[in-house]
Coordinates of all heavy atoms in Angstrom, one line a residue:
M887 N 77.6 107.7 48.7 CA 76.8 108.2 49.8 C 76.8 109.7 50.0 O 77.8 110.3 49.8 CB 77.3 107.5 51.1 CG 76.2 106.7 51.8 SD 76.7 106.2 53.4 CE 77.6 104.6 53.0
N888 N 75.7 110.3 50.4 CA 75.7 111.7 50.6 C 76.1 112.0 52.0 O 76.2 111.1 52.9 CB 74.3 112.3 50.2 CG 73.2 111.7 51.1 OD1 73.4 111.4 52.2 ND2 72.0 111.6 50.6
L889 N 76.3 113.3 52.3 CA 76.8 113.8 53.6 C 75.9 113.3 54.7 O 76.3 112.9 55.8 CB 76.9 115.3 53.6 CG 77.4 116.0 54.8 CD1 78.8 115.6 55.1 CD2 77.4 117.5 54.7
K890 N 74.6 113.5 54.5 CA 73.6 113.1 55.6 C 73.7 111.6 56.0 O 73.8 111.2 57.1 CB 72.2 113.4 55.1 CG 71.1 113.2 56.1 CD 69.8 113.8 55.6 CE 68.7 113.5 56.6 NZ 68.2 112.1 56.5
D891 N 73.9 110.8 54.9 CA 74.0 109.3 55.2 C 75.3 109.0 55.9 O 75.4 108.1 56.8 CB 73.9 108.5 53.9 CG 72.5 108.5 53.3 OD1 71.5 108.9 54.1 OD2 72.3 108.3 52.1
L892 N 76.4 109.6 55.4 CA 77.7 109.4 56.0 C 77.7 109.8 57.5 O 78.2 109.1 58.3 CB 78.8 110.2 55.2 CG 79.1 109.7 53.8 CD1 79.9 110.8 53.1 CD2 79.9 108.4 53.9
R893 N 77.1 110.9 57.8 CA 76.9 111.4 59.2 C 76.1 110.5 60.1 O 76.4 110.3 61.2 CB 76.4 112.8 59.2 CG 77.5 113.8 58.8 CD 77.1 115.2 58.9 NE 78.1 116.2 58.6 CZ 77.9 117.5 58.4 NH1 76.7 118.0 58.4 NH2 79.0 118.2 58.2
C894 N 75.1 109.9 59.4 CA 74.2 109.0 60.1 C 75.1 107.7 60.5 O 74.9 107.3 61.5 CB 73.1 108.7 59.2 SG 71.8 107.7 60.0
E895 N 75.9 107.3 59.6 CA 76.7 106.2 59.9 C 77.7 106.5 61.0 O 78.0 105.7 61.9 CB 77.5 105.7 58.7 CG 76.9 104.7 57.9 CD 77.7 103.8 57.1 OE1 78.8 103.3 57.6 OE2 77.4 103.6 55.9
I896 N 78.3 107.6 61.0 CA 79.2 108.2 62.0 C 78.4 108.2 63.4 O 78.9 107.8 64.4 CB 79.8 109.6 61.7 CG1 80.9 109.4 60.7 CG2 80.3 110.2 63.0 CD1 82.0 110.4 60.7
D897 N 77.2 108.6 63.4 CA 76.4 108.7 64.6 C 76.3 107.3 65.2 O 76.3 107.1 66.4 CB 75.0 109.3 64.4 CG 75.1 110.8 64.1 OD1 76.2 111.4 64.4 OD2 74.1 111.4 63.7
Q898 N 76.0 106.4 64.4 CA 75.8 105.0 64.8 C 77.2 104.4 65.4 O 77.2 103.8 66.5 CB 75.3 104.0 63.7 CG 73.9 104.3 63.4 CD 73.4 103.6 62.1 OE1 74.1 102.7 61.7 NE2 72.2 104.0 61.7
I899 N 78.2 104.7 64.7 CA 79.6 104.2 65.2 C 79.8 104.9 66.5 O 80.4 104.3 67.5 CB 80.7 104.5 64.2 CG1 80.5 103.9 62.9 CG2 82.0 104.2 64.8 CD1 80.9 102.5 62.8
D900 N 79.5 106.2 66.6 CA 79.8 107.0 67.9 C 79.0 106.4 69.0 O 79.5 106.3 70.2 CB 79.5 108.4 67.7 CG 80.5 109.2 66.9 OD1 81.6 108.6 66.7 OD2 80.2 110.3 66.4
E901 N 77.8 105.9 68.8 CA 77.0 105.3 69.8 C 77.8 104.0 70.4 O 77.8 103.8 71.6 CB 75.6 104.9 69.4 CG 74.7 106.0 69.4 CD 73.3 105.6 68.9 OE1 72.9 104.5 69.2 OE2 72.7 106.4 68.3
Q902 N 78.3 103.2 69.4 CA 79.0 102.0 69.8 C 80.3 102.4 70.6 O 80.6 101.8 71.6 CB 79.4 101.2 68.6 CG 78.3 100.6 67.8 CD 78.7 99.9 66.6 OE1 79.7 99.2 66.5 NE2 77.9 100.0 65.5
I903 N 81.0 103.3 70.0 CA 82.3 103.8 70.8 C 82.0 104.2 72.2 O 82.7 103.9 73.2 CB 83.1 104.8 70.0 CG1 83.5 104.3 68.7 CG2 84.2 105.4 70.8 CD1 84.2 105.3 67.7
T904 N 80.9 105.0 72.3 CA 80.5 105.6 73.6 C 80.3 104.4 74.6 O 80.6 104.5 75.8 CB 79.3 106.5 73.5 OG1 79.6 107.5 72.6 CG2 78.9 107.1 74.8
Q905 N 79.5 103.4 74.2 CA 79.2 102.2 75.0 C 80.5 101.6 75.4 O 80.6 101.2 76.5 CB 78.3 101.2 74.2 CG 76.8 101.6 74.2 CD 75.9 100.6 73.6 OE1 76.4 99.5 73.2 NE2 74.6 100.9 73.3
L906 N 81.4 101.4 74.5 CA 82.6 100.7 74.8 C 83.5 101.5 75.7 O 84.2 101.0 76.6 CB 83.4 100.4 73.5 CG 82.7 99.3 72.6 CD1 83.4 99.2 71.3 CD2 82.7 98.0 73.4
L907 N 83.4 102.8 75.5 CA 84.2 103.7 76.4 C 83.6 103.7 77.8 O 84.4 103.8 78.8 CB 84.3 105.2 75.9 CG 85.2 105.5 74.7 CD1 85.0 106.9 74.2 CD2 86.6 105.2 75.1
E908 N 82.3 103.6 77.9 CA 81.7 103.4 79.2 C 82.1 102.2 79.9 O 82.5 102.1 81.1 CB 80.2 103.4 79.1 CG 79.7 104.9 79.1 CD 78.3 105.1 79.7 OE1 78.1 104.5 80.8 OE2 77.5 105.8 79.1
Q909 N 82.2 101.0 79.1 CA 82.7 99.8 79.7 C 84.1 99.9 80.1 O 84.5 99.4 81.2 CB 82.5 98.7 78.6 CG 81.1 98.2 78.4 CD 81.1 97.1 77.3 OE1 82.0 96.3 77.2 NE2 80.0 97.1 76.5
R910 N 84.9 100.6 79.4 CA 86.3 100.8 79.7 C 86.4 101.6 81.0 O 87.2 101.3 81.8 CB 87.1 101.5 78.5 CG 88.6 101.4 78.7 CD 89.2 102.2 77.5 NE 90.6 101.8 77.4 CZ 91.7 102.2 78.2 NH1 91.4 103.1 79.2 NH2 92.9 101.8 78.0
M911 N 85.6 102.7 81.0 CA 85.6 103.5 82.3 C 85.2 102.8 83.5 O 85.7 103.0 84.6 CB 84.8 104.8 82.1 CG 85.5 105.8 81.2 SD 87.1 106.3 81.7 CE 86.8 107.1 83.3
N912 N 84.3 101.8 83.4 CA 83.9 101.0 84.5 C 85.1 100.2 85.0 O 85.3 100.2 86.2 CB 82.8 100.0 84.1 CG 81.4 100.6 84.0 OD1 81.1 101.7 84.5 ND2 80.6 100.0 83.2
L913 N 85.8 99.7 84.0 CA 87.1 98.9 84.5 C 88.2 99.8 85.0 O 88.9 99.5 86.1 CB 87.7 98.2 83.3 CG 86.7 97.1 82.7 CD1 87.1 96.5 81.4 CD2 86.7 95.9 83.8
V914 N 88.2 101.1 84.5 CA 89.2 102.0 85.0 C 88.9 102.5 86.5 O 89.7 102.5 87.3 CB 89.2 103.3 84.1 CG1 89.8 104.5 84.8 CG2 89.9 103.0 82.8
L915 N 87.5 102.5 86.7 CA 87.1 102.8 88.1 C 87.5 101.6 89.0 O 88.0 101.8 90.1 CB 85.6 103.0 88.2 CG 85.1 103.3 89.6 CD1 85.7 104.5 90.3 CD2 83.5 103.6 89.4
D916 N 87.3 100.4 88.6 CA 87.6 99.2 89.4 C 89.1 99.2 89.6 O 89.6 98.9 90.8 CB 87.2 97.9 88.7 CG 85.7 97.7 88.7 OD1 85.1 98.3 89.6 OD2 85.2 96.8 88.1
I917 N 90.0 99.5 88.6 CA 91.4 99.6 88.8 C 91.8 100.7 89.9 O 92.6 100.4 90.7 CB 92.1 99.9 87.4 CG1 92.0 98.6 86.6 CG2 93.5 100.3 87.6 CD1 92.7 98.8 85.2
A918 N 91.1 101.9 89.8 CA 91.4 102.9 90.8 C 91.1 102.4 92.1 O 91.9 102.6 93.1 CB 90.5 104.2 90.5
K919 N 90.0 101.7 92.3 CA 89.7 101.2 93.7 C 90.7 100.2 94.2 O 91.1 100.1 95.4 CB 88.3 100.5 93.7 CG 87.1 101.5 93.5 CD 85.8 100.8 93.3 CE 84.7 101.9 93.2 NZ 83.4 101.2 92.7
T920 N 91.1 99.3 93.2 CA 92.1 98.3 93.5 C 93.5 99.0 93.9 O 94.2 98.6 94.8 CB 92.4 97.4 92.3 OG1 91.1 96.8 91.9 CG2 93.3 96.2 92.7
K921 N 93.8 100.0 93.1 CA 95.1 100.7 93.4 C 95.1 101.4 94.7 O 96.0 101.5 95.5 CB 95.4 101.7 92.3 CG 95.8 101.1 91.0 CD 96.1 102.1 90.0 CE 96.8 101.5 88.7 NZ 97.0 102.5 87.6
K922 N 93.8 101.9 95.1 CA 93.7 102.5 96.4 C 94.0 101.5 97.5 O 94.7 101.8 98.5 CB 92.3 103.1 96.5 CG 92.1 103.9 97.8 CD 90.8 104.3 98.0 CE 90.7 105.1 99.3 NZ 89.3 105.0 99.9
I923 N 93.3 100.3 97.4 CA 93.5 99.3 98.5 C 95.0 98.8 98.5 O 95.6 98.7 99.5 CB 92.6 98.1 98.2 CG1 91.2 98.5 98.3 CG2 92.9 96.9 99.1 CD1 90.1 97.5 97.8
Q924 N 95.6 98.6 97.3 CA 96.9 98.1 97.2 C 98.0 99.2 97.3 O 99.2 98.9 97.3 CB 97.2 97.3 96.0 CG 96.2 96.1 96.0 CD 96.4 95.2 94.8 OE1 97.3 95.4 93.9 NE2 95.7 94.1 94.7
K925 N 97.5 100.5 97.5 CA 98.4 101.6 97.6 C 99.4 101.7 96.4 O 100.7 101.7 96.6 CB 99.2 101.7 99.0 CG 98.2 101.8 100.2 CD 99.0 102.1 101.4 CE 98.2 102.0 102.7 NZ 96.9 102.4 102.7
I926 N 98.9 101.6 95.2 CA 99.7 101.6 94.0 C 99.4 102.9 93.4 O 98.3 103.5 93.3 CB 99.3 100.4 93.1 CG1 99.6 99.1 93.7 CG2 100.0 100.6 91.7 CD1 99.0 97.9 92.8
E927 N 100.5 103.6 92.7 CA 100.4 104.8 91.9 C 99.4 104.6 90.8 O 99.3 103.6 90.2 CB 101.7 105.2 91.4 CG 102.7 105.8 92.3 CD 102.3 107.0 92.9 OE1 101.9 107.9 92.1 OE2 102.5 107.2 94.1
V928 N 98.6 105.7 90.6 CA 97.7 105.7 89.4 C 98.4 105.6 88.1 O 98.1 104.7 87.2 CB 96.8 107.0 89.4 CG1 96.1 107.2 88.0 CG2 95.7 106.9 90.5
V929 N 99.4 106.4 87.9 CA 100.1 106.4 86.6 C 101.0 105.2 86.5 O 101.9 105.0 87.3 CB 100.9 107.8 86.5 CG1 101.6 107.8 85.1 CG2 100.0 109.0 86.6
D930 N 100.9 104.6 85.4 CA 101.8 103.4 85.1 C 102.2 103.6 83.6 O 101.5 103.0 82.7 CB 101.0 102.1 85.4 CG 101.9 100.8 85.2 OD1 102.9 101.0 84.4 OD2 101.5 99.8 85.7
L931 N 103.2 104.2 83.4 CA 103.6 104.6 82.1 C 104.0 103.3 81.2 O 103.9 103.3 80.0 CB 104.8 105.6 82.0 CG 104.4 107.0 82.5 CD1 105.5 107.9 82.5 CD2 103.1 107.6 81.8
S932 N 104.6 102.3 81.9 CA 105.0 101.2 81.2 C 103.8 100.4 80.7 O 103.7 99.9 79.5 CB 106.0 100.2 82.0 OG 105.2 99.7 83.1
R933 N 102.7 100.4 81.5 CA 101.4 99.8 81.0 C 100.9 100.5 79.9 O 100.4 100.0 78.9 CB 100.4 99.7 82.2 CG 99.0 99.4 81.8 CD 98.8 97.9 81.3 NE 97.5 97.7 80.8 CZ 97.0 96.8 80.0 NH1 98.0 95.9 79.5 NH2 95.9 96.7 79.6
E934 N 101.0 101.9 79.9 CA 100.4 102.7 78.9 C 101.2 102.5 77.6 O 100.5 102.4 76.5 CB 100.5 104.2 79.2 CG 99.6 104.6 80.4 CD 99.3 106.1 80.6 OE1 99.6 106.9 79.7 OE2 98.8 106.5 81.7
Q935 N 102.5 102.3 77.7 CA 103.3 102.0 76.5 C 102.8 100.6 75.8 O 102.7 100.5 74.6 CB 104.7 102.0 76.8 CG 105.7 102.0 75.5 CD 105.3 103.2 74.6 OE1 105.3 104.4 75.0 NE2 105.0 102.9 73.3
L936 N 102.6 99.6 76.7 CA 102.1 98.4 76.2 C 100.8 98.5 75.5 O 100.7 97.9 74.4 CB 101.9 97.4 77.4 CG 103.2 96.7 78.0 CD1 102.8 95.9 79.2 CD2 103.9 95.9 76.9
V937 N 99.9 99.3 76.1 CA 98.5 99.5 75.5 C 98.7 100.1 74.1 O 98.2 99.7 73.1 CB 97.7 100.4 76.4 CG1 96.4 100.8 75.6 CG2 97.3 99.7 77.6
L938 N 99.6 101.2 74.0 CA 99.9 101.9 72.8 C 100.4 101.0 71.7 O 100.0 101.0 70.6 CB 100.7 103.1 73.0 CG 100.0 104.3 73.8 CD1 101.1 105.4 74.1 CD2 98.8 104.8 73.3
D939 N 101.4 100.1 72.1 CA 102.1 99.2 71.2 C 101.0 98.2 70.6 O 101.1 97.9 69.5 CB 103.2 98.5 71.8 CG 104.4 99.4 72.2 OD1 104.4 100.5 71.7 OD2 105.3 98.9 73.0
R940 N 100.2 97.7 71.5 CA 99.2 96.8 71.1 C 98.2 97.3 70.1 O 97.9 96.8 69.1 CB 98.5 96.3 72.4 CG 97.9 94.9 72.3 CD 97.4 94.4 73.6 NE 96.3 93.5 73.3 CZ 95.0 93.8 73.1 NH1 94.7 95.1 73.4 NH2 94.1 93.0 72.8
I941 N 97.8 98.5 70.5 CA 96.8 99.2 69.6 C 97.5 99.5 68.2 O 96.9 99.3 67.1 CB 96.4 100.6 70.2 CG1 95.6 100.3 71.4 CG2 95.6 101.4 69.2 CD1 94.3 99.5 71.3
A942 N 98.7 99.9 68.3 CA 99.4 100.2 67.0 C 99.5 99.0 66.1 O 99.3 99.0 64.9 CB 100.8 100.7 67.3
Q943 N 99.7 97.8 66.7 CA 99.7 96.5 66.0 C 98.3 96.1 65.5 O 98.3 95.5 64.4 CB 100.2 95.4 66.8 CG 101.7 95.3 67.0 CD 102.1 94.2 67.8 OE1 101.4 93.4 68.3 NE2 103.4 93.9 67.9
K944 N 97.3 96.5 66.2 CA 95.9 96.1 65.8 C 95.4 97.0 64.7 O 94.5 96.5 63.9 CB 95.0 96.3 67.1 CG 95.2 95.3 68.2 CD 94.4 94.1 68.0 CE 94.8 93.0 68.9 NZ 94.4 91.6 68.5
V945 N 95.8 98.2 64.5 CA 95.3 99.0 63.4 C 95.7 98.4 62.1 O 96.8 98.1 61.8 CB 95.9 100.4 63.5 CG1 95.4 101.3 62.3 CG2 95.5 101.1 64.8
Q946 N 94.7 98.2 61.2 CA 94.9 97.5 60.0 C 95.4 98.4 58.8 O 96.2 98.0 58.0 CB 93.6 96.7 59.5 CG 93.5 95.5 60.4 CD 92.1 94.8 60.2 OE1 91.5 94.9 59.0 NE2 91.7 94.1 61.1
N947 N 94.9 99.6 58.8 CA 95.3 100.6 57.8 C 96.5 101.5 58.4 O 96.2 102.4 59.2 CB 94.1 101.4 57.3 CG 94.5 102.3 56.2 OD1 95.6 102.7 56.0 ND2 93.4 102.7 55.5
P948 N 97.7 101.3 57.9 CA 98.8 102.1 58.4 C 98.6 103.6 58.3 O 99.1 104.4 59.1 CB 100.0 101.7 57.6 CG 99.5 100.7 56.6 CD 98.1 100.4 56.8
E949 N 97.7 104.1 57.4 CA 97.5 105.5 57.2 C 96.8 106.0 58.5 O 96.8 107.2 58.7 CB 96.4 105.6 56.1 CG 97.1 105.5 54.7 CD 97.8 106.8 54.3 OE1 97.2 107.8 54.4 OE2 98.9 106.6 53.8
Y950 N 96.0 105.2 59.2 CA 95.4 105.6 60.4 C 96.0 105.5 61.6 O 95.6 105.8 62.7 CB 94.0 104.9 60.5 CG 93.1 105.0 59.3 CD1 92.2 103.9 59.0 CD2 93.1 106.1 58.4 CE1 91.4 104.0 57.8 CE2 92.3 106.2 57.3 CZ 91.4 105.1 57.0 OH 90.6 105.2 56.0
R951 N 97.3 104.7 61.6 CA 97.9 104.3 62.9 C 98.2 105.4 63.8 O 97.8 105.4 65.0 CB 99.2 103.5 62.5 CG 99.9 102.9 63.7 CD 100.9 101.8 63.4 NE 100.2 100.7 62.8 CZ 100.6 100.1 61.6 NH1 101.6 100.7 60.9 NH2 99.9 99.0 61.2
S952 N 98.8 106.5 63.4 CA 99.2 107.5 64.3 C 98.0 108.2 64.9 O 98.0 108.6 66.1 CB 100.2 108.5 63.7 OG 99.6 109.3 62.8
T953 N 97.0 108.4 64.1 CA 95.7 109.0 64.5 C 95.1 108.3 65.7 O 94.7 108.8 66.7 CB 94.7 109.2 63.4 OG1 95.3 109.9 62.3 CG2 93.5 110.0 63.8
I954 N 95.0 106.9 65.5 CA 94.3 106.1 66.4 C 95.2 106.0 67.7 O 94.7 106.0 68.8 CB 94.0 104.7 65.8 CG1 92.9 105.0 64.7 CG2 93.5 103.7 66.9 CD1 92.5 103.7 63.9
V955 N 96.5 105.8 67.6 CA 97.4 105.8 68.7 C 97.3 107.1 69.5 O 97.2 107.1 70.7 CB 98.9 105.4 68.3 CG1 99.8 105.7 69.5 CG2 98.9 104.0 67.8
N956 N 97.3 108.2 68.8 CA 97.1 109.5 69.5 C 95.8 109.6 70.3 O 95.7 110.1 71.4 CB 97.1 110.7 68.5 CG 98.5 111.0 67.9 OD1 99.5 110.5 68.5 ND2 98.5 111.7 66.9
T957 N 94.7 109.0 69.7 CA 93.4 108.9 70.4 C 93.5 108.2 71.7 O 93.0 108.6 72.7 CB 92.4 108.3 69.4 OG1 92.3 109.1 68.2 CG2 91.0 108.3 70.1
Y958 N 94.3 107.0 71.6 CA 94.4 106.3 72.8 C 95.3 107.0 73.8 O 95.1 106.8 75.0 CB 95.0 104.9 72.5 CG 93.9 103.9 72.4 CD1 93.1 103.7 71.3 CD2 93.7 103.2 73.5 CE1 92.1 102.8 71.3 CE2 92.6 102.3 73.6 CZ 91.8 102.1 72.4 OH 90.7 101.3 72.5
Q959 N 96.2 107.8 73.4 CA 97.0 108.6 74.4 C 96.0 109.5 75.1 O 96.1 109.7 76.3 CB 98.1 109.3 73.6 CG 99.3 108.5 73.4 CD 100.4 109.3 72.6 OE1 100.0 110.1 71.8 NE2 101.7 109.0 72.9
D960 N 95.1 110.1 74.4 CA 94.1 110.9 75.0 C 93.2 110.2 75.9 O 92.8 110.6 77.0 CB 93.3 111.7 73.9 CG 93.9 112.9 73.5 OD1 95.0 113.4 74.0 OD2 93.4 113.5 72.5
I961 N 92.8 109.0 75.5 CA 91.9 108.2 76.3 C 92.5 107.9 77.7 O 91.9 108.1 78.7 CB 91.5 106.9 75.5 CG1 90.5 107.2 74.5 CG2 90.9 105.9 76.6 CD1 90.2 106.0 73.6
M962 N 93.8 107.5 77.6 CA 94.5 107.2 78.9 C 94.8 108.4 79.7 O 94.9 108.3 80.9 CB 95.7 106.3 78.6 CG 95.4 104.9 78.1 SD 96.7 103.7 78.0 CE 97.6 104.3 76.6
K963 N 95.1 109.5 79.1 CA 95.3 110.8 79.8 C 94.0 111.1 80.6 O 94.1 111.4 81.8 CB 95.6 111.9 78.9 CG 96.0 113.2 79.4 CD 96.5 114.2 78.4 CE 96.1 115.6 78.7 NZ 95.6 116.4 77.6
N964 N 92.9 110.9 80.0 CA 91.7 111.3 80.7 C 91.3 110.2 81.7 O 90.8 110.5 82.7 CB 90.5 111.4 79.6 CG 90.6 112.7 79.0 OD1 90.3 113.7 79.5 ND2 91.0 112.7 77.7
S965 N 91.7 109.0 81.4 CA 91.4 107.8 82.3 C 92.3 108.1 83.6 O 91.8 108.0 84.7 CB 91.9 106.5 81.6 OG 92.3 105.6 82.5
R966 N 93.5 108.5 83.4 CA 94.4 108.8 84.6 C 93.8 110.0 85.4 O 93.7 109.9 86.6 CB 95.7 109.4 84.0 CG 96.9 108.6 84.3 CD 98.1 109.4 83.9 NE 98.5 109.1 82.5 CZ 99.2 109.9 81.7 NH1 99.4 111.2 82.2 NH2 99.6 109.6 80.6
A967 N 93.3 111.0 84.7 CA 92.8 112.2 85.4 C 91.5 111.8 86.2 O 91.3 112.2 87.3 CB 92.4 113.3 84.4
Y968 N 90.7 110.9 85.6 CA 89.5 110.4 86.3 C 89.9 109.7 87.5 O 89.3 109.9 88.6 CB 88.6 109.5 85.3 CG 87.5 108.9 86.1 CD1 86.4 109.7 86.1 CD2 87.5 107.8 86.6 CE1 85.2 109.3 86.9 CE2 86.4 107.2 87.4 CZ 85.2 107.9 87.4 OH 84.2 107.5 88.1
Q969 N 90.9 108.8 87.4 CA 91.3 108.0 88.6 C 91.9 108.9 89.7 O 91.5 108.8 90.8 CB 92.4 107.0 88.2 CG 91.9 105.9 87.4 CD 93.0 104.7 87.2 OE1 94.2 105.0 87.5 NE2 92.6 103.6 86.7
Q970 N 92.7 109.9 89.2 CA 93.3 110.9 90.2 C 92.1 111.7 90.9 O 92.2 111.8 92.2 CB 94.3 111.8 89.6 CG 95.6 111.1 89.5 CD 96.5 111.6 88.4 OE1 96.1 112.4 87.5 NE2 97.8 111.3 88.5
D971 N 91.2 112.2 90.2 CA 90.0 112.9 90.8 C 89.3 111.9 91.8 O 88.9 112.4 92.8 CB 89.0 113.3 89.7 CG 89.5 114.6 89.0 OD1 90.6 115.1 89.5 OD2 88.9 115.1 88.1
F972 N 89.0 110.7 91.3 CA 88.3 109.8 92.1 C 89.0 109.5 93.5 O 88.4 109.6 94.5 CB 88.1 108.4 91.4 CG 87.5 107.3 92.3 CD1 86.2 107.2 92.6 CD2 88.5 106.4 92.9 CE1 85.7 106.2 93.4 CE2 88.0 105.4 93.6 CZ 86.6 105.2 93.9
L973 N 90.3 109.4 93.4 CA 91.1 109.1 94.6 C 91.2 110.4 95.6 O 91.1 110.2 96.7 CB 92.5 108.6 94.3 CG 92.5 107.2 93.6 CD1 93.9 106.8 93.2 CD2 91.9 106.1 94.5
K974 N 91.2 111.6 94.9 CA 91.2 112.8 95.7 C 89.9 112.9 96.4 O 89.9 113.2 97.6 CB 91.4 114.0 94.7 CG 92.3 115.1 95.4 CD 92.3 116.3 94.4 CE 93.1 116.2 93.2 NZ 92.9 117.2 92.2
E975 N 88.8 112.8 95.8 CA 87.5 112.9 96.3 C 87.3 111.8 97.4 O 86.7 112.1 98.5 CB 86.4 112.6 95.2 CG 86.2 113.8 94.3 CD 85.8 115.1 95.1 OE1 84.9 115.0 95.9 OE2 86.4 116.1 94.8
N976 N 87.9 110.6 97.2 CA 87.8 109.5 98.2 C 88.5 109.9 99.5 O 88.1 109.5 100.5 CB 88.4 108.3 97.6 CG 87.4 107.2 97.4 OD1 87.4 106.2 97.9 ND2 86.3 107.5 96.6
K977 N 89.6 110.6 99.3 CA 90.5 110.9 100.5 C 89.7 111.8 101.4 O 89.7 111.6 102.6 CB 91.7 111.7 100.0 CG 93.0 111.0 100.2 CD 94.2 111.7 99.8 CE 95.3 110.8 99.4 NZ 96.2 111.4 98.5
K978 N 88.9 112.7 100.8 CA 88.1 113.7 101.8 C 87.1 112.8 102.6 O 86.9 113.3 103.7 CB 87.2 114.6 100.9 CG 88.0 115.6 100.2 CD 87.0 116.6 99.4 CE 87.8 117.3 98.3 NZ 86.8 117.8 97.3
T979 N 86.6 111.7 102.1 CA 85.7 111.0 102.9 C 86.3 109.9 103.8 O 85.6 109.2 104.5 CB 84.6 110.3 102.0 OG1 85.3 109.6 101.0 CG2 83.7 111.4 101.4
D980 N 87.6 109.7 103.7 CA 88.4 108.6 104.4 C 88.4 109.0 105.9 O 88.4 110.1 106.3 CB 89.8 108.5 104.0 CG 89.9 107.6 102.8 OD1 88.9 107.0 102.4 OD2 91.0 107.5 102.2
Ligands
LIG527 O1 96.1 99.6 83.8 C1 96.1 100.5 84.7 O2 96.8 100.5 85.7 C2 95.2 101.7 84.6 O3 95.2 102.5 85.5 C3 94.5 102.0 83.4 C4 95.2 102.9 82.5 C5 94.4 103.0 81.1 O4 93.5 103.8 80.9 O5 94.5 102.0 80.3 C6 95.2 104.3 83.0 C7 96.3 104.7 83.7 C8 97.6 104.1 83.8 O6 98.6 105.0 83.7 C9 97.7 102.9 82.9 C10 96.6 102.4 82.2

């Protein structure tokens, strides 16, 4: 396959990943709202470790494991930041 075709395939995969990340963020927002009501801390490092362990097990090619686990660390770092911003903004209107 040539570079153009390979990039075209990447573009298609990126569209799917983006849709899935949006679905994930919808759930992250619901979690933030639930945590607000239940007065639970946003950061839950034990849950994050469970997610990372699960992802590490799911990766089929061991060559890619650390790259994908690192990507998930970033996803959750950004998810946390989003929840914290959401709760901060919410506080102003309380
Ligand atoms: O499961 C939660 O409690 C979440 O808030 C979601 C999530 C995640 O993005 O997976 C984000 C922040 C927490 O530290 C743990 C996990």
